[in-house]
Amino acid sequence: MNHHKYEHYLDRFEIPIKNRQWPDQRIVQAPRWCSVDLRDGNQALINPMTVVQKRRLFELLLQVGFKEIELGFPSASATEFEFMRQLIETNALPTDVIPQVLVQAKAELIKRTIDSLQGAPRAIVHLYNSTSATQRKVVFRKDEAKIIELAVAGIKCLKELAKETDTKIQLQYSPESFTGTELPFAKQICEAVIEAWQPSGDEKVIINLPATVEMSTPNIFADQVEWFSTNVAYRDQIILSIHTHNDRGTGVASAELGIMA
């Protein structure tokens, strides 16, 4: 029978949380927003936006008032790279807006991404690799240790390239498919990333927890976020971020409960 086809989420991924606090929280101020509407490349449309279309959307996002904007995926296509260069070379980035770029944890893609940022005073580089149990088994065919090695190698590559540019780089890391990842492993790989990056002083690493595939009800996502926030090491060196999807139609609810968590 169809209703026996899939196991319950909590039968597969345990959330060892007790005395959860998020249900008693209230959202009393706006969160720190980052628009990812310009994310394209191999992340979104079958027929990606042109540079002209991306520029129009960029101007709209500025009018809306976003101060952090993920401008795209410069290593994914010539269009994405050209768009980044156009904004920087024409001084189209307001001084109070922080640009962000997305890249997989692969050396050649990281280098291409850093090349796209030349001339920008600062930027957030959003590096990611998938950590989900299914992708480890089916796509990468690697165990947890090898997936951590992949992430750490990407971070070290980015760190070395960051030394060669005048752009001040802030790291954002995503354990992609966080919702399909065992919580202890998500914690372990994020801690390894922070240790490899070694933030100093007031510098903080953005750790982004994406619901790349929405696999559960919003309260379970909130439990995951609270558990991670409570248990991860180096918490004072982390800005915790969430990125929800809408596969089950509850993306907004997951975002709101995630903020409470």
Side-chain angles (χ1 to χ4, degrees), residues 100 124-127 170-174 205-208 241:
Q100 181 171 303
I124 297 171
V125 175
H126 183 177
L127 186 144
Q170 181 178 13
L171 172 66
Q172 177 170 186
Y173 174 73
S174 284
V205 174
I206 301 171
I207 295 293
N208 181 56
S241 170

Side-chain angles (χ1 to χ4, degrees), residues 11-55:
D11 291 337
R12 187 179 183 194
F13 297 104
E14 180 184 2
I15 305 176
I17 187 170
K18 296 180 180 179
N19 302 316
R20 58 183 56 80
Q21 301 299 307
W22 66 261
D24 293 327
Q25 303 304 311
R26 296 175 61 199
I27 300 174
V28 296
Q29 65 183 39
R32 176 174 160 181
W33 291 102
C34 174
S35 163
V36 296
D37 303 274
L38 282 166
R39 179 188 295 182
D40 210 347
N42 64 2
Q43 283 278 305
L45 306 175
I46 295 175
N47 298 309
M49 288 181 280
T50 65
V51 171
V52 173
Q53 290 171 323
K54 286 173 74 75
R55 185 65 178 263

Side-chain angles (χ1 to χ4, degrees), residues 22 218 221-222 225-226 240 242 244 252-261:
W22 66 261
F221 181 66
V225 173
E226 181 172 319
L240 197 59
I242 56 173
T244 60
V252 172
S254 293
E256 290 177 322
L257 298 192
I259 289 170
M260 292 164 64

